[in-house]
Amino acid sequence: MSTAKKNYQRITTNSLIQMKKDGEKIAMLTAYDYTFAGIVDAAGIDVILVGDSASNVIAGHETTLPITLDQMIYHASSVVRAAKRALVVVDLPFGTYQADSKEALKSAIKIMKESGGHAVKLEGGIQEKQSIERILQAGIPVMGHLGLTPQSIYKFGTYTVRAKEEAEAEQLLSDAKMLEELGCFGVVLEKIPASLANKVAESISIPVIGIGAGNHVDGQVLVLHDMLGMSKEFSPRFLRRYADLHGEITQAVTGYTEDVKSGDFPNEKEQY
Ligand code: KIV
């Protein structure tokens, strides 16, 4: 397995499939706005996911269910304006594709037209077959999402690890194979046993991107705000924090507040 990085000008869905063939791991993060997306893109990320996790980390909702199509388009268009190299994948939010395949296609087209995103992601396997087919037929690249699918949280009742039992694991493997056969360019596997994720990655030719699915997959995704340590509360086992922005921002804001109150800011050099 090679760790050498090819110099891709603009990452496409084909580059991701090539990366899997070459054994090059795919790095994916979420972003929801222009400023963060610009930093993440320039730092060399391969895929930016405009996740419906914006519902949690940006809007403060308990679940991903409330975010609307127009809100996703607002976030995605801000990200697209900043992304020069990364592939931008946009989540289809809850309630915009589950009713029927015609509605799914309309939602996917609206995202592509109004945000300029490069692909869509949607949650679910066999039950979304027709919608996925229809979106793909319109020339829109689709990424699947299996395992813990947060839009179904009220069905699951808990955010614990999925597919530990054999029947669910078999269904997940069969769903992943179906996504490959339909023509999806990749699949996210969330919070499932590492051994199952490994089996899926070895069974299909499209990239498998894990979050809480172990290391034997083709790439990883994390929620940007989580890996930057913006919040202290969310601490699942799979999360590695690469910064303590909660601490840094708190320190900066405290310092600023003190300086304003004491009259230290602005000084003579900071005025006209
Ligand atoms: O919305 C999101 O951020 C996601 C990732 C957790 C994969 O779907």
Side-chain angles (χ1 to χ4, degrees):
M1 188 162 284
S2 153
T3 51
K5 244 181 121 176
K6 269 192 197 157
N7 256 342
Y8 292 96
Q9 292 290 334
R10 163 68 87 176
I11 302 286
T12 64
T13 54
N14 289 332
S15 345
L16 299 182
I17 291 168
Q18 189 58 46
M19 284 161 96
K20 172 159 180 154
K21 279 194 191 135
D22 294 345
E24 178 180 343
K25 295 263 188 177
I26 298 163
M28 172 163 156
L29 278 175
T30 66
Y32 317 97
D33 67 41
Y34 178 83
T35 305
F36 270 119
I39 297 171
V40 165
D41 183 70
I45 205 77
D46 299 313
V47 185
I48 298 181
L49 171 65
V50 185
D52 58 359
S53 50
S55 179
N56 308 108
V57 296
I58 303 295
H61 293 295
E62 213 171 287
T63 72
T64 58
L65 275 66
I67 199 159
T68 66
L69 194 55
D70 284 335
Q71 287 165 344
M72 287 302 297
I73 288 168
Y74 169 77
H75 288 298
S77 55
S78 310
V79 168
V80 167
R81 282 191 285 275
K84 305 284 178 266
R85 176 180 172 275
L87 181 85
V88 179
V89 180
V90 186
D91 263 343
L92 276 166
F94 176 69
T96 67
Y97 62 96
Q98 291 93 342
D100 61 54
S101 62
K102 200 170 163 192
E103 196 195 3
L105 177 59
K106 274 170 88 176
S107 304
I109 288 177
K110 191 169 157 72
I111 285 187
M112 300 297 282
K113 255 190 185 307
E114 296 181 22
S115 78
H118 309 136
V120 297
K121 174 166 86 56
L122 59 85
E123 298 180 5
I126 187 72
Q127 70 278 21
E128 301 306 337
K129 185 170 187 265
Q130 285 180 344
S131 296
I132 294 169
E133 266 170 344
R134 205 153 179 176
I135 297 170
L136 286 167
Q137 273 160 15
I140 301 172
V142 177
M143 180 171 235
H145 184 156
L146 303 171
L148 178 65
T149 46
Q151 292 179 11
S152 304
I153 189 57
Y154 289 116
K155 184 176 98 185
F156 298 148
T158 149
Y159 285 99
T160 54
V161 180
R162 302 300 313 174
K164 278 165 113 177
E165 305 302 327
E166 205 173 317
E168 195 180 337
E170 269 173 25
Q171 185 59 53
L172 188 144
L173 181 59
S174 131
D175 283 344
K177 287 182 178 166
M178 181 204 75
L179 294 174
E180 177 192 28
E181 275 160 28
L182 292 179
C184 289
F185 71 90
V187 55
V188 167
L189 296 184
E190 181 164 353
K191 228 173 171 185
I192 62 165
S195 55
L196 174 61
N198 183 13
K199 194 169 169 190
V200 175
E202 282 179 353
S203 307
I204 60 177
S205 60
I206 57 171
V208 172
I209 311 293
I211 172 165
N215 199 4
H216 300 293
V217 287
D218 308 304
Q220 298 291 329
V221 58
L222 283 175
V223 168
L224 183 66
H225 291 53
D226 297 340
M227 62 83 79
L228 290 178
M230 301 275 271
S231 127
K232 286 182 184 296
E233 286 93 53
F234 185 64
S235 262
R237 188 200 294 196
F238 67 76
L239 175 62
R240 187 182 291 181
R241 288 197 174 88
Y242 286 84
D244 172 23
L245 286 201
H246 187 278
E248 296 230 0
I249 293 171
T250 305
Q251 207 180 1
V253 174
T254 311
Y256 167 76
T257 305
E258 279 169 12
D259 289 352
V260 170
K261 300 234 178 240
S262 69
D264 181 70
F265 176 78
N267 62 26
E268 276 181 17
K269 284 190 195 146
E270 292 163 333
Q271 68 188 17
Y272 298 98

XYZ file of all heavy atoms in Angstrom, residues 113-193:
616
model
N -27.707 22.814 -9.030
C -27.899 24.085 -9.745
C -27.610 25.284 -8.864
O -26.920 26.215 -9.253
C -29.360 24.195 -10.187
C -29.572 23.955 -11.662
C -31.012 24.331 -12.002
C -31.360 24.008 -13.433
N -30.476 24.540 -14.419
N -28.128 25.270 -7.648
C -28.091 26.492 -6.828
C -26.852 26.600 -5.945
O -26.529 27.693 -5.492
C -29.369 26.593 -5.974
C -30.595 26.748 -6.853
C -31.889 26.884 -6.051
O -31.844 27.273 -4.873
O -32.954 26.585 -6.637
N -26.173 25.473 -5.680
C -24.978 25.571 -4.828
C -23.691 25.436 -5.629
O -22.642 25.899 -5.187
C -25.006 24.490 -3.741
O -24.629 23.232 -4.269
N -23.755 24.739 -6.778
C -22.528 24.495 -7.527
C -21.717 23.344 -6.953
O -20.566 23.132 -7.354
N -22.290 22.588 -6.013
C -21.621 21.399 -5.458
C -21.362 20.369 -6.560
O -21.930 20.442 -7.650
N -20.476 19.420 -6.248
C -20.049 18.477 -7.280
C -20.728 17.119 -7.184
O -20.603 16.293 -8.102
C -18.531 18.274 -7.186
C -17.757 19.554 -7.149
N -16.706 19.783 -6.297
C -17.914 20.702 -7.855
C -16.239 21.002 -6.483
N -16.951 21.589 -7.411
N -21.382 16.847 -6.070
C -21.998 15.526 -5.861
C -22.939 15.624 -4.663
O -22.843 16.566 -3.873
C -20.915 14.486 -5.574
N -23.815 14.645 -4.539
C -24.689 14.603 -3.363
C -24.439 13.317 -2.575
O -23.946 12.332 -3.129
C -26.198 14.701 -3.731
C -26.503 16.035 -4.407
C -26.647 13.534 -4.606
N -24.777 13.375 -1.302
C -24.724 12.174 -0.453
C -26.108 11.964 0.142
O -26.786 12.953 0.470
C -23.689 12.342 0.671
C -23.684 11.198 1.680
C -22.462 11.210 2.573
C -22.544 12.078 3.796
N -23.676 11.817 4.720
N -26.515 10.721 0.233
C -27.786 10.431 0.912
C -27.669 9.155 1.733
O -26.830 8.303 1.462
C -28.958 10.377 -0.075
C -28.932 9.378 -1.228
C -29.444 8.031 -0.790
C -29.813 9.901 -2.356
N -28.503 9.070 2.749
C -28.439 7.958 3.702
C -29.384 6.828 3.286
O -30.499 7.102 2.836
C -28.823 8.457 5.109
C -27.871 9.509 5.638
C -28.238 10.004 7.041
O -29.184 9.465 7.663
O -27.560 10.937 7.508
N -28.921 5.590 3.487
C -29.821 4.450 3.263
C -29.357 3.538 2.151
O -28.585 3.946 1.273
N -29.851 2.292 2.192
C -29.481 1.284 1.212
C -30.617 0.968 0.270
O -31.122 1.847 -0.431
N -31.067 -0.293 0.319
C -32.035 -0.817 -0.646
C -33.298 0.051 -0.746
O -33.851 0.234 -1.836
C -32.390 -2.295 -0.304
C -33.264 -2.928 -1.371
C -33.021 -2.435 1.067
C -32.548 -3.236 -2.666
N -33.724 0.645 0.394
C -34.961 1.442 0.376
C -34.817 2.714 -0.467
O -35.822 3.288 -0.884
C -35.451 1.748 1.806
C -34.611 2.731 2.612
C -33.388 2.102 3.279
O -32.915 1.045 2.875
N -32.863 2.747 4.303
N -33.581 3.124 -0.755
C -33.370 4.334 -1.565
C -32.923 4.002 -2.992
O -32.501 4.885 -3.738
C -32.330 5.251 -0.903
C -32.676 5.720 0.491
C -34.035 6.394 0.588
O -34.548 6.896 -0.440
O -34.608 6.369 1.692
N -33.043 2.725 -3.380
C -32.512 2.269 -4.678
C -33.030 3.114 -5.847
O -32.250 3.620 -6.660
C -32.886 0.787 -4.872
C -32.294 0.155 -6.103
C -32.518 -1.360 -6.067
C -31.789 -2.043 -7.197
N -32.596 -2.268 -8.369
N -34.345 3.289 -5.896
C -34.922 4.008 -7.046
C -34.465 5.460 -7.100
O -34.176 6.000 -8.167
C -36.445 3.952 -6.980
C -36.960 2.594 -7.384
C -38.471 2.517 -7.331
O -39.131 3.354 -6.721
N -39.009 1.485 -7.951
N -34.401 6.080 -5.936
C -33.976 7.487 -5.896
C -32.538 7.615 -6.374
O -32.206 8.499 -7.170
C -34.084 8.035 -4.477
O -35.429 8.027 -4.071
N -31.685 6.709 -5.897
C -30.270 6.765 -6.285
C -30.139 6.566 -7.795
O -29.433 7.306 -8.484
C -29.448 5.708 -5.499
C -29.444 6.064 -4.003
C -28.021 5.618 -6.022
C -28.900 4.981 -3.092
N -30.878 5.578 -8.320
C -30.837 5.311 -9.768
C -31.223 6.551 -10.556
O -30.556 6.943 -11.515
C -31.831 4.187 -10.108
C -31.201 2.824 -10.127
C -32.254 1.715 -10.234
O -33.460 1.960 -9.990
O -31.853 0.604 -10.537
N -32.291 7.176 -10.127
C -32.832 8.317 -10.865
C -31.863 9.505 -10.835
O -31.660 10.188 -11.821
C -34.177 8.721 -10.251
C -35.055 9.414 -11.224
C -36.503 9.245 -10.904
N -37.253 9.994 -11.910
C -38.561 10.000 -11.978
N -39.270 9.301 -11.141
N -39.172 10.712 -12.905
N -31.263 9.736 -9.668
C -30.307 10.853 -9.543
C -29.078 10.570 -10.420
O -28.592 11.450 -11.144
C -29.896 11.062 -8.058
C -31.118 11.460 -7.226
C -28.819 12.128 -7.941
C -30.881 11.460 -5.717
N -28.608 9.334 -10.374
C -27.436 8.971 -11.187
C -27.739 9.099 -12.684
O -26.902 9.565 -13.457
C -26.992 7.538 -10.870
C -26.271 7.349 -9.524
C -26.174 5.867 -9.169
C -24.878 7.964 -9.563
N -28.971 8.713 -13.069
C -29.344 8.809 -14.491
C -29.310 10.256 -14.984
O -29.094 10.518 -16.154
C -30.741 8.232 -14.716
C -30.721 6.726 -14.973
C -32.082 6.088 -14.712
O -33.097 6.790 -14.616
N -32.090 4.772 -14.587
N -29.517 11.204 -14.054
C -29.487 12.626 -14.434
C -28.055 13.154 -14.483
O -27.840 14.344 -14.722
C -30.318 13.439 -13.446
N -27.087 12.280 -14.242
C -25.685 12.693 -14.338
C -25.136 13.295 -13.057
O -24.095 13.966 -13.070
N -25.828 13.073 -11.962
C -25.370 13.631 -10.678
C -24.669 12.527 -9.876
O -25.283 11.496 -9.575
C -26.570 14.197 -9.871
C -27.261 15.293 -10.682
C -26.106 14.713 -8.507
C -28.562 15.793 -10.070
N -23.384 12.741 -9.526
C -22.689 11.714 -8.740
C -23.288 11.571 -7.344
O -23.643 12.569 -6.703
C -21.248 12.247 -8.655
C -21.126 13.277 -9.723
C -22.503 13.874 -9.875
N -23.390 10.317 -6.904
C -24.011 10.032 -5.597
C -23.032 9.253 -4.702
O -22.402 8.290 -5.146
C -25.308 9.196 -5.758
C -25.911 8.845 -4.393
C -26.333 9.929 -6.608
N -22.975 9.688 -3.445
C -22.235 8.957 -2.422
C -23.270 8.382 -1.455
O -24.216 9.086 -1.076
C -21.312 9.947 -1.702
C -20.481 9.346 -0.609
S -19.255 10.545 -0.015
C -17.782 9.567 -0.234
N -23.090 7.123 -1.079
C -24.022 6.501 -0.132
C -23.562 6.726 1.310
O -22.465 7.243 1.561
N -24.403 6.348 2.244
C -24.090 6.486 3.674
C -24.843 5.381 4.407
O -26.075 5.370 4.423
C -24.526 7.892 4.151
C -24.170 8.202 5.576
N -24.027 9.499 6.033
C -23.934 7.415 6.656
C -23.709 9.493 7.321
N -23.664 8.237 7.721
N -24.099 4.440 4.981
C -24.692 3.278 5.655
C -24.169 3.162 7.082
O -23.192 3.812 7.445
C -24.331 1.990 4.889
C -24.734 1.913 3.403
C -24.110 0.662 2.751
C -26.253 1.884 3.239
N -24.789 2.279 7.850
C -24.393 2.100 9.249
C -25.255 2.988 10.115
O -26.490 2.963 10.016
N -24.616 3.792 10.954
C -25.381 4.764 11.744
C -25.753 5.919 10.816
O -24.894 6.678 10.386
C -24.562 5.270 12.925
C -25.279 6.334 13.761
C -26.511 5.769 14.450
C -24.353 6.923 14.805
N -27.012 5.993 10.490
C -27.495 7.053 9.597
C -28.317 8.015 10.463
O -29.462 7.709 10.833
C -28.330 6.433 8.449
O -29.239 5.482 9.010
C -27.438 5.752 7.441
N -27.727 9.181 10.800
C -28.348 10.039 11.824
C -29.761 10.527 11.486
O -30.517 10.866 12.394
C -27.373 11.216 11.926
C -26.056 10.653 11.489
C -26.393 9.666 10.416
N -30.129 10.518 10.193
C -31.496 10.949 9.861
C -32.535 9.934 10.361
O -33.730 10.228 10.406
C -31.638 11.171 8.346
C -30.822 12.360 7.842
C -30.939 12.576 6.345
O -31.780 11.972 5.671
N -30.084 13.436 5.807
N -32.081 8.726 10.715
C -33.005 7.697 11.226
C -32.887 7.538 12.732
O -33.234 6.475 13.281
C -32.704 6.341 10.575
O -32.761 6.435 9.192
N -32.394 8.546 13.406
C -32.099 8.400 14.840
C -33.335 8.030 15.653
O -33.245 7.261 16.613
C -31.398 9.666 15.417
C -30.910 9.394 16.835
C -32.248 10.918 15.342
C -29.976 8.238 16.988
N -34.502 8.520 15.237
C -35.694 8.194 16.032
C -36.135 6.743 15.816
O -36.831 6.176 16.648
C -36.821 9.184 15.743
C -36.516 10.558 16.315
C -36.350 11.666 15.485
C -36.347 10.738 17.685
C -36.031 12.912 16.013
C -36.020 11.976 18.220
C -35.873 13.058 17.385
O -35.541 14.280 17.912
N -35.702 6.140 14.698
C -35.963 4.704 14.500
C -34.971 3.897 15.345
O -35.345 2.963 16.029
C -35.819 4.347 13.014
C -36.153 2.910 12.694
C -36.079 2.629 11.216
C -34.758 2.001 10.857
N -34.562 1.797 9.437
N -33.692 4.287 15.320
C -32.668 3.560 16.093
C -32.863 3.772 17.604
O -32.628 2.878 18.398
C -31.252 4.041 15.726
C -30.854 3.815 14.290
C -30.005 4.700 13.643
C -31.304 2.709 13.579
C -29.617 4.492 12.328
C -30.922 2.490 12.257
C -30.078 3.390 11.630
N -33.193 4.996 17.974
C -33.386 5.326 19.395
C -32.102 5.641 20.138
O -32.127 6.082 21.280
N -30.949 5.391 19.510
C -29.653 5.610 20.172
C -28.559 5.775 19.113
O -28.693 5.293 17.992
C -29.303 4.429 21.102
O -27.887 4.293 21.131
C -29.892 3.122 20.671
N -27.478 6.457 19.521
C -26.347 6.651 18.602
C -25.269 5.568 18.786
O -24.117 5.785 18.461
C -25.726 8.041 18.826
C -26.556 9.192 18.246
C -27.396 9.951 19.049
C -26.479 9.516 16.894
C -28.148 11.007 18.529
C -27.230 10.565 16.358
C -28.054 11.303 17.183
O -28.794 12.331 16.649
N -25.629 4.411 19.319
C -24.608 3.365 19.525
C -24.239 2.677 18.206
O -24.911 2.852 17.193
C -25.074 2.278 20.526
O -26.321 1.777 20.058
C -25.192 2.809 21.927
N -23.168 1.882 18.289
C -22.612 1.184 17.120
C -23.681 0.350 16.412
O -24.449 -0.364 17.063
C -21.450 0.262 17.575
C -20.842 -0.482 16.393
C -20.388 1.065 18.311
N -23.720 0.419 15.085
C -24.695 -0.336 14.284
C -24.048 -1.624 13.746
O -22.820 -1.756 13.705
C -25.187 0.486 13.072
C -25.826 1.804 13.385
C -27.038 1.712 14.242
N -28.000 0.697 13.844
C -29.086 0.364 14.536
N -29.343 0.974 15.686
N -29.915 -0.559 14.100
N -24.905 -2.498 13.246
C -24.517 -3.705 12.505
C -23.595 -4.643 13.290
O -22.685 -5.245 12.720
C -23.879 -3.314 11.163
N -23.824 -4.742 14.588
C -23.058 -5.714 15.381
C -23.637 -7.108 15.196
O -22.943 -8.105 15.302
C -23.116 -5.325 16.869
C -22.104 -4.240 17.228
C -22.416 -3.643 18.554
C -21.406 -3.919 19.626
N -21.786 -3.226 20.880
N -24.955 -7.155 14.958
C -25.615 -8.452 14.766
C -25.458 -8.880 13.302
O -25.391 -8.030 12.394
C -27.115 -8.351 15.098
C -27.426 -7.812 16.477
C -26.800 -8.641 17.605
O -26.690 -9.876 17.437
O -26.407 -8.055 18.618
N -25.453 -10.212 13.105
C -25.156 -10.752 11.779
C -26.140 -10.292 10.704
O -25.733 -9.933 9.592
C -25.127 -12.276 11.849
C -24.266 -12.847 10.750
C -24.092 -14.342 10.897
O -23.869 -14.793 12.042
O -24.196 -15.037 9.875
N -27.423 -10.269 11.052
C -28.430 -9.931 10.033
C -28.226 -8.503 9.527
O -28.261 -8.237 8.314
C -29.827 -10.092 10.629
N -27.976 -7.575 10.456
C -27.784 -6.176 10.042
C -26.465 -6.022 9.269
O -26.384 -5.251 8.306
C -27.807 -5.249 11.271
C -27.979 -3.786 10.899
C -28.002 -2.839 12.104
O -28.316 -3.276 13.225
O -27.694 -1.650 11.893
N -25.447 -6.776 9.699
C -24.150 -6.716 9.012
C -24.290 -7.227 7.580
O -23.759 -6.637 6.629
C -23.118 -7.529 9.775
N -25.042 -8.313 7.398
C -25.245 -8.868 6.050
C -25.996 -7.894 5.163
O -25.678 -7.715 3.990
C -26.013 -10.196 6.146
C -25.077 -11.376 6.267
C -25.825 -12.675 6.531
O -27.019 -12.773 6.176
O -25.212 -13.571 7.121
N -27.012 -7.260 5.751
C -27.795 -6.278 4.995
C -26.908 -5.103 4.564
O -26.983 -4.611 3.436
C -28.977 -5.773 5.847
C -29.916 -4.829 5.108
C -30.527 -5.461 3.865
O -31.112 -6.535 3.922
N -30.347 -4.810 2.708
N -26.043 -4.678 5.493
C -25.162 -3.548 5.181
C -24.212 -3.906 4.036
O -24.018 -3.108 3.101
C -24.383 -3.145 6.439
C -23.570 -1.857 6.320
C -23.588 -1.083 7.637
C -22.142 -2.098 5.892
N -23.659 -5.107 4.073
C -22.745 -5.535 3.006
C -23.484 -5.598 1.675
O -22.981 -5.127 0.639
C -22.138 -6.901 3.367
C -21.133 -7.483 2.377
C -19.942 -6.562 2.170
C -20.636 -8.853 2.863
N -24.679 -6.101 1.710
C -25.458 -6.208 0.466
C -25.849 -4.804 -0.039
O -25.823 -4.532 -1.239
C -26.636 -7.150 0.706
O -27.830 -6.622 0.286
N -26.162 -3.891 0.877
C -26.463 -2.510 0.475
C -25.242 -1.847 -0.173
O -25.361 -1.127 -1.171
C -26.898 -1.679 1.691
C -28.335 -1.960 2.118
O -29.091 -2.551 1.317
O -28.707 -1.586 3.250
N -24.066 -2.083 0.415
C -22.838 -1.475 -0.127
C -22.578 -1.994 -1.539
O -22.220 -1.226 -2.438
C -21.659 -1.778 0.790
N -22.803 -3.295 -1.742
C -22.611 -3.879 -3.085
C -23.606 -3.288 -4.071
O -23.289 -3.022 -5.239
C -22.748 -5.398 -3.025
C -21.551 -6.062 -2.363
C -21.694 -7.578 -2.351
C -20.462 -8.223 -1.724
N -20.676 -9.635 -1.388
N -24.844 -3.083 -3.581
C -25.866 -2.483 -4.450
C -25.457 -1.061 -4.857
O -25.591 -0.666 -6.015
C -27.211 -2.465 -3.722
C -28.335 -1.882 -4.546
S -29.650 -1.234 -3.502
C -28.906 0.281 -2.906
N -24.933 -0.285 -3.897
C -24.515 1.092 -4.201
C -23.434 1.088 -5.276
O -23.439 1.916 -6.197
C -24.002 1.799 -2.935
C -25.035 2.061 -1.828
C -24.375 2.638 -0.583
C -26.145 2.988 -2.310
N -22.516 0.140 -5.167
C -21.455 0.022 -6.178
C -22.071 -0.307 -7.543
O -21.761 0.322 -8.549
C -20.458 -1.067 -5.772
C -19.370 -1.279 -6.816
C -18.554 -2.542 -6.583
O -19.099 -3.513 -6.002
O -17.388 -2.553 -6.989
N -22.968 -1.315 -7.550
C -23.582 -1.734 -8.820
C -24.374 -0.613 -9.474
O -24.378 -0.464 -10.695
C -24.500 -2.942 -8.590
C -23.745 -4.259 -8.631
C -24.510 -5.390 -7.937
O -25.764 -5.326 -7.910
O -23.852 -6.294 -7.403
N -25.053 0.194 -8.656
C -25.856 1.286 -9.214
C -24.978 2.349 -9.859
O -25.416 3.077 -10.744
C -26.720 1.936 -8.124
C -27.856 1.103 -7.541
C -28.593 1.883 -6.459
C -28.831 0.689 -8.631
N -23.738 2.480 -9.365
C -22.836 3.486 -9.937
C -22.469 4.613 -8.992
O -21.958 5.654 -9.430
N -22.717 4.429 -7.686
C -22.270 5.430 -6.712
C -20.739 5.492 -6.750
O -20.080 4.507 -7.047
C -22.709 5.038 -5.300
S -24.487 5.202 -5.065
N -20.182 6.661 -6.415
C -18.716 6.794 -6.495
C -18.045 6.549 -5.141
O -16.809 6.552 -5.061
C -18.325 8.178 -7.031
C -18.583 9.306 -6.077
C -17.612 9.700 -5.164
C -19.809 9.966 -6.073
C -17.859 10.738 -4.266
C -20.061 11.004 -5.190
C -19.081 11.387 -4.275
N -18.845 6.319 -4.110
C -18.259 6.080 -2.797
C -19.352 5.864 -1.780
O -20.541 6.068 -2.062
N -18.924 5.438 -0.592
C -19.902 5.221 0.478
C -19.258 5.552 1.826
O -18.099 5.212 2.068
C -20.481 3.780 0.439
C -19.393 2.725 0.484
C -21.457 3.534 1.588
N -20.008 6.259 2.644
C -19.582 6.525 4.022
C -20.138 5.415 4.907
O -21.313 5.057 4.795
C -20.107 7.900 4.508
C -19.951 8.047 6.025
C -19.388 9.040 3.793
N -19.289 4.860 5.759
C -19.742 3.885 6.762
C -19.552 4.510 8.133
O -18.425 4.845 8.519
C -18.919 2.593 6.682
C -19.032 1.774 5.396
C -18.222 0.482 5.525
C -20.495 1.446 5.071
N -20.652 4.693 8.847
C -20.574 5.382 10.136
C -20.816 4.411 11.286
O -21.818 3.676 11.308
C -21.606 6.529 10.164
C -21.566 7.312 11.460
C -22.280 8.660 11.395
O -22.718 9.082 10.296
O -22.404 9.300 12.459
N -19.903 4.445 12.238
C -20.032 3.743 13.518
C -20.479 2.288 13.376
O -21.576 1.923 13.807
C -20.972 4.531 14.434
C -20.373 4.714 15.821
C -21.168 5.624 16.701
C -20.640 5.574 18.110
N -21.443 6.356 19.038
N -19.618 1.505 12.751
C -19.863 0.064 12.645
C -18.575 -0.654 13.062
O -17.512 -0.027 13.080
C -20.285 -0.370 11.214
C -19.167 -0.075 10.205
C -21.597 0.279 10.800
C -19.361 -0.781 8.874
N -18.619 -1.956 13.362
C -17.392 -2.657 13.737
C -16.334 -2.565 12.628
O -16.667 -2.673 11.430
C -17.863 -4.109 13.927
C -19.326 -3.990 14.240
C -19.810 -2.805 13.450
